[in-house]
Amino acid sequence: MATAMEADKPVWILQGEFGRATVNFISRPLVAHAHSQYQFLFKLGGSDCRFRVGAEELMLTDDRAICLNPWIEHAKGANDDTPSLILSLVIEPPWLRTRLGLADGSPADIFAHRLVVVTPEVRHHVDRLSAAITNHLVAQDAGCLPILEDLIVALGRDFADPALTTRIALTTRQVDFRIRKALDFIKRAPTANPTVAEVAAEVGLSRSRFFEQFRQCMGISPQHYIDWVRMSHAIRLLAASDRPLADIAYELGFEEHSHFTRFFAQHMGVPPSEFRRHSVMLDPERRD
């Protein structure tokens, strides 16, 4: 039987223009976080596991999946007994919109329900994709991308808001110019690791007013956005280079390598060394 440490190692991680697909055993909790991509979670085996999504407590089970629109705060609870085997899809909005035939200006909140009943066709494509990843077929890109596209189309057909085509872009959040300035400031300096107070001062707001305005415009806290920018930069560095982890940790503003490892594992469920070891980058030009 696998130990808890062994159980938390990923089976395989697939990255590309679409975003990221991961199959992994996990029992540890994940801290509350949010990101700019859509996320879909499917249980493949092991224990059911609890997620906090916004103010809701949701249970990921064999027949219940979780669909998250961008910038929805979520966290995973610790497993009570055995680890869970989970397929996690983190999908870039432009890629998803193209596959679903949606206009660029259409609302971001495509999926009306966060907990959905897995339909037979969605389960069929989930099983196909999981098999391709865990059997290492992705190393040769043996039809893996078309399988992912089939799954995304099925998710859109079965779970997207049927009224979204009649909704207009004005229904999305309006972003205050000072918050736009803050977003630009944070994104320009992922290695500076600014504090919320420093970002607030940069845009001329008090810390409390900035926090209030940021959450009203973005739906998440400014610290979650800062963490997402740092995580995104860390993932790019891990995927695109073989630089020592200590160098990456230093570039991201961590005083100790161990602090970076803990930060990464709290968000991804695996340490950065394991993430790098098990990651495969798809060539978007290669298709069978």
Side-chain angles (χ1 to χ4, degrees):
M1 179 176 295
T3 66
M5 181 64 70
E6 290 171 339
D8 279 356
K9 292 183 178 180
V11 176
W12 210 258
I13 301 166
L14 178 65
Q15 298 191 81
E17 182 185 6
F18 67 89
R20 185 171 66 253
T22 306
V23 174
N24 69 313
F25 285 100
I26 185 167
S27 57
R28 71 181 70 180
L30 299 179
V31 297
H33 60 286
H35 40 69
S36 67
Q37 300 93 347
Y38 293 87
Q39 184 163 15
F40 307 96
L41 297 164
F42 304 93
K43 178 192 163 189
L44 303 176
S47 294
D48 295 345
C49 53
R50 190 178 305 278
F51 285 81
R52 180 176 60 78
V53 180
E56 299 178 271
E57 293 286 338
L58 305 180
M59 187 68 75
L60 187 69
T61 68
D62 292 324
D63 58 358
R64 295 290 190 279
I66 293 176
C67 299
L68 301 179
N69 293 309
W71 301 124
I72 299 298
E73 180 182 314
H74 55 287
K76 179 189 175 296
N79 286 45
D80 294 330
D81 38 37
T82 58
S84 305
L85 181 62
I86 295 175
L87 169 65
S88 171
L89 305 178
V90 178
I91 306 297
E92 296 292 344
W95 193 90
L96 181 140
R97 289 175 185 278
T98 297
R99 271 65 193 174
L100 297 186
L102 301 175
D104 289 341
S106 57
D109 293 343
I110 294 173
F111 297 93
H113 302 288
R114 297 170 179 177
L115 190 67
V116 298
V117 177
V118 180
T119 61
E121 185 168 358
V122 166
R123 172 55 64 183
H124 171 65
H125 296 312
V126 164
D127 292 343
R128 290 173 64 211
L129 182 61
S130 301
I133 293 174
T134 57
N135 284 288
H136 302 179
L137 298 180
V138 295
Q140 293 80 36
D141 189 13
C144 196
L145 197 56
I147 296 173
L148 176 60
E149 290 175 342
D150 288 345
L151 175 54
I152 294 301
V153 170
L155 290 170
R157 184 186 58 250
D158 292 350
F159 304 132
D161 183 349
L164 72 90
T165 54
T166 64
R167 295 160 65 186
I168 59 175
L170 291 179
T171 61
T172 58
R173 292 188 182 95
Q174 302 299 300
V175 180
D176 182 275
F177 77 95
R178 291 164 297 188
I179 301 306
R180 288 198 301 268
K181 182 179 178 182
L183 297 179
D184 290 340
F185 175 71
I186 295 168
K187 286 189 289 188
R188 285 198 310 271
T191 61
N193 189 24
T195 65
V196 173
E198 288 170 342
V199 180
E202 177 71 19
V203 300
L205 292 172
S206 69
R207 189 184 188 283
S208 59
R209 181 59 176 163
F210 172 64
F211 188 96
E212 177 185 346
Q213 284 288 96
F214 195 99
R215 182 172 280 282
Q216 180 178 343
C217 291
M218 297 297 294
I220 60 170
S221 72
Q223 188 59 56
H224 282 153
Y225 187 84
I226 292 170
D227 288 347
W228 169 74
V229 170
R230 295 181 87 197
M231 278 297 304
S232 297
H233 193 61
I235 288 170
R236 286 195 296 272
L237 291 174
L238 289 168
S241 76
D242 57 0
R243 292 172 55 187
L245 295 182
D247 288 356
I248 293 176
Y250 180 78
E251 179 171 331
L252 289 168
F254 291 92
E255 295 181 358
E256 300 288 343
H257 176 199
S258 60
H259 296 171
F260 169 56
T261 297
R262 181 166 60 250
F263 172 82
F264 194 94
Q266 285 176 334
H267 286 81
M268 293 296 295
V270 294
S273 58
E274 291 296 322
F275 183 90
R276 168 182 274 172
R277 184 174 302 119
H278 293 278
S279 292
V280 170
M281 291 295 295
L282 277 186
D283 181 350
E285 300 301 322
R286 290 188 58 190
R287 298 180 59 127
D288 292 345

